[in-house]
């Protein structure tokens, strides 16, 4: 269906034995096949990779961050060059996060009020105000295809009064964000809050879905919660959202997290994990995580992942990648970033095919079992890694 001048979303198939959906999202800068993983390009770059690299690995959407881009290079630059697409040389869709999470996690000398968040800039030490209106103004200057409302992000396991206050302010800020939108060609998504409390999540979804947003995100997870709670809240929240709008789970997670959330009916994801871990020398493979800096890899004259079709796995050995990391050569993180993002995008492509074939539930079960089998501990991927956008 057509949601606004900015976006249309069509669901092409729904899985038989789960809530997984196969959709197409049409934006002002092209089509996005869902479920999709969005590469995190916080500062108008996916660190170390060019837009051509991103296109090669099948990336469809790049995610930028309003908080960081507001502080540097600032809105005037984006207005002058005509937006982020021209600035970074990426012609595909861009989604911008509003800065709510960064205000919560990064800002120094921060004071929160009904008006917004006042904080000190890490670039020039000056005080700035990020309000719902200011966030929309900045995202308008950036020219993203999908904007996010500024939300109030707190630890998901805070006491009920804290969670309720944050949620209710998020609702008031969502309304102010809608009122502040000036460019009908840019879509706007709301963010459901409420921590790990079902009654609050239900109330939040009820209030926000009564307003004319183009899509809905599930926010505030991967901030203090454990994996089981996160999965439960994802399933619960996704079912509260309208079937005809895209659903976006923010800041989550591992390949196993994504497989679970797709089964819950989530369409869009972002996470710093594949690029963040690449810079530490850790790769995701079909047979679990590989830490390239470990000693045995020094003599491993084999591809990083024999099943993978990415350029890193086609052209280089584990021994070479190990060597690059040992010498602190920047090519090391770059090649592993390419592989890790390829791994995530290939998983999404497989998931889309499985949903089309009506076999997603069986596909996800098989994949999750393989992930579990290759991990040494009983926990998938070794830990309840809670990583959100930085
Ligand atoms: Zn690869």
């Amino acid at each position: 269906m057509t949601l606004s001048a900015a976006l249309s979303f069509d669901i092409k198939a729904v899985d038989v034995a789960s809530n997984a959906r196969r959709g197409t999202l049409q934006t002002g800068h092209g089509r996005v096949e869902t479920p999709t993983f969005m590469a995190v390009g916080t500062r108008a770059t996916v660190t170390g990779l060019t837009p051509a690299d991103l296109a090669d690995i099948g990336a469809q959407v790049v995610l930028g961050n309003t908080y960081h881009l507001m502080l540097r290079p600032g809105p005037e630059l984006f207005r002058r060059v005509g937006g982020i697409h021209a600035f970074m040389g990426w012609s595909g869709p861009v989604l911008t996060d509003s800065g709510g999470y960064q205000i919560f996690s990064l800002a120094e000398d921060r004071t929160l009020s009904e008006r917004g968040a006042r904080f000190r800039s890490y670039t020039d030490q000056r005080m700035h105000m990020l309000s719902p209106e200011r966030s929309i103004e900045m995202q308008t200057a950036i020219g993203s295809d999908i904007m996010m409302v500024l939300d109030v992000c707190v630890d998901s396991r805070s006491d009920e009064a804290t969670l309720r206050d944050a949620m209710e302010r998020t609702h008031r800020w969502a309304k102010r964000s809608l009122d502040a939108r000036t460019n009908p060609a840019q879509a706007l998504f709301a963010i459901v809050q409420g921590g790990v409390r079902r009654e609050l999540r239900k109330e939040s979804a009820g209030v926000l879905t009564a307003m004319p947003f183009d899509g809905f995100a599930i926010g505030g997870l991967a901030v203090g919660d454990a994996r089981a709670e996160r999965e439960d809240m994802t399933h619960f929240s996704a079912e509260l959202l309208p079937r005809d709008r895209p659903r976006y789970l923010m800041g989550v997670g591992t390949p196993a997290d994504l497989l679970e959330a797709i089964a819950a009916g989530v369409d869009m994801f972002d996470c710093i994990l594949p690029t963040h871990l690449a810079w530490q020398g850790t790769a995701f493979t079909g047979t679990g995580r590989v830490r390239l800096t470990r000693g045995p890899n020094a003599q491993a004259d084999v591809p990083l992942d024999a099943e993978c079709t990415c350029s890193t796995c086609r052209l280089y050995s584990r021994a070479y990648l190990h060597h690059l990391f040992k010498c602190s050569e920047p090519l090391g993180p770059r090649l592993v970033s390419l592989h890790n993002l390829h791994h995530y995008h290939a998983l999404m492509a497989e998931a889309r095919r499985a949903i089309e074939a009506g076999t997603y539930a069986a596909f996800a079960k098989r994949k999750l079992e393989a992930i579990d089998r290759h991990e040494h501990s009983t926990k998938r991927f070794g830990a309840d890694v809670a990583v959100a956008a930085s």
Side-chain angles (χ1 to χ4, degrees):
M1 69 173 282
T2 299
L3 302 173
S4 69
L7 209 66
S8 68
F9 183 57
D10 290 299
I11 295 176
K12 297 154 84 170
V14 178
D15 186 42
V16 181
S18 75
N19 292 330
R21 301 125 60 89
R22 169 74 180 89
T24 301
L25 190 61
Q26 186 70 47
T27 77
H29 285 84
R31 226 166 60 175
V32 181
E33 303 299 339
T34 66
T36 191
F37 180 80
M38 302 184 283
V40 179
T42 303
R43 296 179 177 84
T45 170
V46 177
T47 305
L49 306 187
T50 65
D53 293 330
L54 295 172
D56 279 350
I57 56 176
Q60 305 184 85
V61 188
V62 171
L63 190 142
N65 188 276
T66 303
Y67 169 84
H68 291 288
L69 295 174
M70 178 177 103
L71 299 180
R72 190 166 52 199
E76 289 312 318
L77 183 284
F78 284 106
R79 289 192 192 105
R80 184 170 63 74
V81 302
I84 192 169
H85 300 86
F87 184 48
M88 69 177 286
W90 167 257
S91 57
V94 171
L95 181 146
T96 36
D97 196 2
S98 61
Y101 178 77
Q102 285 67 33
I103 292 296
F104 161 75
S105 62
L106 298 178
E108 287 178 21
D109 295 344
R110 178 200 60 189
T111 46
L112 266 180
S113 67
E114 188 62 25
R115 193 172 150 231
R118 205 173 139 71
F119 62 96
R120 188 174 300 284
S121 164
Y122 65 89
T123 62
D124 60 9
Q125 307 306 309
R126 285 163 53 191
M127 294 305 288
H128 287 260
M129 164 62 82
L130 188 60
S131 63
E133 293 79 10
R134 176 83 175 124
S135 180
I136 294 295
E137 184 191 341
M138 184 63 209
Q139 294 182 75
T140 304
I142 293 171
S144 51
D145 301 280
I146 301 173
M147 306 186 287
M148 302 300 299
V149 300
L150 189 68
D151 59 335
V152 183
C153 205
V154 294
D155 189 306
S156 63
R157 287 189 288 188
S158 304
D159 63 74
E160 188 172 352
T162 305
L163 287 170
R164 171 166 287 283
D165 283 351
M167 178 193 79
E168 289 179 349
R169 182 171 280 169
T170 294
H171 298 165
R172 293 190 295 273
W173 284 10
K175 172 75 171 61
R176 281 167 56 185
S177 303
L178 265 182
D179 293 343
R181 172 156 65 162
T182 54
N183 182 0
Q186 290 177 280
L188 181 61
F189 283 19
I191 305 173
V192 173
Q193 289 287 356
V196 291
R197 290 176 182 267
R198 283 177 172 236
E199 68 282 6
L200 294 184
R201 288 274 164 191
K202 193 168 181 186
E203 188 178 332
S204 188
V207 170
L208 293 172
T209 58
M211 296 188 233
F213 287 103
D214 302 296
F216 296 92
I218 301 166
L221 295 178
V223 187
D225 44 275
R227 183 198 167 88
E229 284 177 315
R230 195 155 70 236
E231 274 175 18
D232 181 51
M233 276 304 116
T234 302
H235 276 264
F236 184 73
S237 303
E239 286 189 7
L240 300 169
L241 298 175
R243 288 178 184 279
D244 61 356
R245 313 285 163 89
R247 301 163 179 164
Y248 164 26
L249 179 60
M250 303 182 79
V252 178
T254 63
D257 288 333
L258 269 53
L259 289 165
E260 295 277 6
I262 290 171
V266 174
D267 309 298
M268 303 162 71
F269 301 92
D270 79 283
C271 189
I272 60 164
L273 205 52
T275 38
H276 181 77
L277 288 184
W279 281 77
Q280 296 173 1
T282 298
F284 290 92
T285 75
T287 53
R289 289 188 192 189
V290 172
R291 277 175 57 201
L292 285 157
T293 48
R294 292 183 64 187
N297 287 314
Q299 306 300 328
D301 193 22
V302 293
L304 174 51
D305 183 346
E307 306 291 309
C308 181
T309 58
C310 87
S311 56
T312 299
C313 293
R314 282 201 323 270
L315 299 171
Y316 308 101
S317 66
R318 287 190 185 194
Y320 181 60
L321 296 169
H322 172 90
H323 165 74
L324 293 175
F325 274 93
K326 284 293 168 187
C327 300
S328 301
E329 284 288 342
L331 186 59
R334 178 176 144 74
L335 292 179
V336 180
S337 293
L338 280 170
H339 164 81
N340 278 357
L341 282 177
H342 182 276
H343 183 80
Y344 268 64
H345 285 93
L347 183 69
M348 293 294 106
E350 273 189 277
R352 290 194 293 268
R353 285 193 294 272
I355 300 168
E356 283 169 12
T359 57
Y360 181 78
F363 160 82
K365 186 165 180 283
R366 201 167 63 243
K367 282 276 176 188
L368 288 166
E369 282 170 358
I371 290 168
D372 274 343
R373 196 165 56 244
H374 292 295
E375 292 302 319
H376 298 298
S377 75
T378 52
K379 288 179 184 173
R380 286 191 199 116
F381 281 91
D384 280 317
V385 186
V387 180
S390 63

